[in-house]
Amino acid sequence: MENINSIIDKFNFKGTLKKCEPFGSGHINSTYFAVFDDCGTERKYIIQRVNTSVFKQIDELMENVFSVTSFLRKRIKAEGGNPDRETLHYITTADGKKYYRAENGECFRAYIFVDNSICYDSVDSPEVFEKSGIAFGKFQRYLSDFPAETLFETIPNFHNTAWRYENEFLPALEANKSGRAVNCSKEIEFVKAHRADCSRLVDLTEKGELPLRVTHNDTKLNNVMFDADSDDAICVIDLDTVMPGLALYDFGDSIRFGANTCAEDCDDYEAVKINLDYFKSYAKGFLSQAGKSFNKCEIDNLAFSALLMTFECGMRFLTDYINGDTYFKTAYPEHNLVRARNQFALVADMEKHMTEMEEIIKNL
Ligand code: ADP
Ligand code: GN1
Ligand code: MG
């Protein structure tokens, strides 16, 4: 593996390196926080080793993120915002490229650290969660006239739950590469019992009832930076999965992560519940920005999308567990199984509260 320090001189960083250390809690890329001394001024950057087994076409991926961020900059400026603070700012390599590919094939990219910002792994108040809803809703609104046809699909079928069931979950089960299927028969049955749910949004999209929009597709709370002073959600990050998708994916995925009473990998499954106050706060924030253009079918499926995105993520964790942990980063052998059980506990609780969730949306 390439030493992170050895790639420093490949980028147009300002100053001399003071420190570079692993950072954040993303499940996909390897992220580092680097500080440089530029004649007495501190310059902070994020450097990432991009996960090339998840993202196969790095040229296209980086084309996407550069074009999305430059589009966002113009939109933010037009609305009187501060583009330097409210969107990611990528640094090109010393020879002007969008990323650096090492001889061993590893790919690195760099961007400016959003200064005086913090990132949350869990929500501690409905206000904070509402602010993240505003940020992701605004993100979707800003990109509503982005030319979607120019976007490369970085992970095809990313939120096609039915496709994931048929083409990932069932084959993983069949191959049972890790031999672990025996440890999770209850969870496997849970997934099979929900097969019908997998097709609902896909079918509505095929029928033309749900419109494709440019969406973020990975709207977890730790993919938005908050201002350390005002606690406003300022900058949406992790743009690798910005692709044509459904508004419902962005809504549902945020609820999955942020309105869980527990962390995504908490193994106290009894304690895993949907926090309806948080659900309401996020919906209020998100809809205040993106909701004006939603059609009735989108509104009618908001509550269900939270359940589906939670189910899909649980199925992905379970699939990865059965495959032997090849996709998500894990900290211990049963990590993916614990995550899957946690997500399924949340699905079960959402099922109990679906009428209340739908009621909340109606009343907004
Ligand atoms: P992953 O795809 O692995 O989730 P992310 O792009 O989300 O990677 O980055 C991982 C973490 O690094 C984020 O959750 C956040 O804490 C931090 N991070 C990423 N980009 C920035 C940035 N520009 N400024 C500050 N922190 C950042
Ligand atoms: C991954 O990259 P990160 O940690 O923000 C994953 C999401 C999952 C999430 C589960 C590209 O998000 O789809 O919902 O983990 N991202 C990718 O926590 O697969
Ligand atoms: Mg992330």
Side-chain angles (χ1 to χ4, degrees):
M1 192 178 281
E2 195 78 18
N3 180 340
I4 189 76
N5 291 302
S6 71
I7 64 107
I8 295 294
D9 64 344
K10 307 290 190 263
F11 286 87
N12 283 321
F13 294 124
K14 287 190 182 155
T16 48
L17 183 67
K18 273 186 9 194
K19 72 169 181 189
C20 180
E21 55 195 31
F23 192 76
S25 50
H27 291 347
I28 304 295
N29 299 304
S30 303
T31 303
Y32 301 85
F33 172 54
V35 182
F36 288 72
D37 175 33
D38 181 17
C39 304
T41 305
E42 242 189 12
R43 308 252 180 218
K44 299 176 195 154
Y45 299 94
I46 288 285
I47 304 173
Q48 281 183 328
R49 180 188 291 107
V50 185
N51 186 328
T52 47
S53 66
V54 167
F55 300 106
K56 314 267 185 220
Q57 314 268 13
I58 309 296
D59 283 324
E60 286 85 349
L61 169 80
M62 292 309 293
E63 223 26 83
N64 272 9
V65 295
F66 269 77
S67 58
V68 165
T69 47
S70 73
F71 186 91
L72 284 172
R73 293 182 82 78
K74 286 183 210 137
R75 287 302 311 264
I76 291 166
K77 211 168 164 199
E79 290 210 8
N82 175 359
D84 287 340
R85 193 152 176 71
E86 295 170 37
T87 189
L88 283 180
H89 187 122
Y90 286 86
I91 308 285
T92 50
T93 63
D95 54 0
K97 303 224 167 67
K98 296 186 171 74
Y99 71 99
Y100 168 69
R101 187 185 288 270
E103 270 177 22
N104 64 4
E106 288 180 23
C107 295
F108 297 85
R109 63 179 171 201
Y111 30 100
I112 294 176
F113 183 87
V114 181
D115 213 12
N116 196 35
S117 72
I118 45 172
C119 177
Y120 293 108
D121 279 317
S122 64
V123 179
D124 54 10
S125 77
E127 290 77 27
V128 164
F129 202 34
E130 181 176 341
K131 286 176 175 181
S132 76
I134 293 173
F136 282 121
K138 212 184 252 181
F139 183 86
Q140 203 167 100
R141 179 167 65 74
Y142 283 155
L143 292 177
S144 59
D145 48 2
F146 183 93
E149 67 288 353
T150 64
L151 274 180
F152 176 76
E153 215 180 344
T154 53
I155 305 182
N157 292 306
F158 192 61
H159 284 307
N160 184 333
T161 321
W163 185 92
R164 283 197 183 268
Y165 181 96
E166 298 296 337
N167 297 284
E168 291 184 349
F169 170 69
L170 289 183
L173 207 54
E174 175 77 21
N176 191 15
K177 279 195 203 127
S178 63
R180 286 164 157 181
V182 65
N183 306 340
C184 47
S185 44
K186 244 177 80 189
E187 290 71 28
I188 292 168
E189 285 320 305
F190 186 90
V191 172
K192 289 184 172 171
H194 285 78
R195 174 64 186 90
D197 284 340
C198 298
S199 300
R200 181 154 146 188
L201 299 187
V202 186
D203 289 351
L204 288 168
T205 309
E206 272 169 16
K207 280 193 214 149
E209 292 182 35
L210 289 173
L212 278 179
R213 303 177 184 278
V214 174
T215 49
H216 182 281
N217 295 306
D218 189 1
T219 52
K220 51 206 238 194
L221 185 67
N222 62 21
N223 285 334
V224 60
M225 306 305 300
F226 288 79
D227 185 284
D229 297 325
S230 68
D231 230 1
D232 286 338
I234 41 170
C235 180
V236 169
I237 62 166
D238 202 346
L239 307 178
D240 297 333
T241 50
V242 175
M243 291 180 279
L246 303 181
L248 297 172
Y249 299 154
D250 283 2
F251 178 78
D253 196 42
S254 279
I255 300 298
R256 171 193 80 74
F257 189 84
N260 187 341
T261 49
C262 297
E264 181 187 68
D265 59 356
C266 164
D267 65 358
D268 182 1
Y269 311 117
E270 297 274 296
V272 172
K273 308 270 180 230
I274 173 80
N275 182 324
L276 293 174
D277 285 340
Y278 286 6
F279 175 81
K280 183 177 171 185
S281 304
Y282 187 90
K284 197 170 151 219
F286 188 76
L287 291 174
S288 73
Q289 294 295 321
K292 281 192 193 81
S293 60
F294 286 2
N295 69 21
K296 183 168 182 313
C297 189
E298 285 173 302
I299 300 283
D300 288 348
N301 281 286
L302 279 167
F304 173 74
S305 76
L307 185 152
L308 186 68
M309 288 297 98
T310 309
F311 170 79
E312 180 190 273
C313 196
M315 178 171 71
R316 291 174 64 198
F317 287 143
L318 187 65
T319 303
D320 199 32
Y321 176 72
I322 298 168
N323 281 337
D325 306 326
T326 59
Y327 187 94
F328 295 104
K329 283 188 188 164
T330 51
Y332 56 94
E334 304 293 287
H335 205 166
N336 271 320
L337 179 58
V338 166
R339 288 169 174 156
R341 287 182 171 151
N342 174 303
Q343 299 296 287
F344 296 153
L346 185 58
V347 169
D349 195 56
M350 285 185 190
E351 283 172 339
K352 280 193 208 145
H353 294 284
M354 191 43 68
T355 317
E356 284 151 274
M357 288 161 70
E358 282 167 346
E359 220 28 59
I360 289 171
I361 299 290
K362 263 192 214 134
N363 291 334
L364 284 172

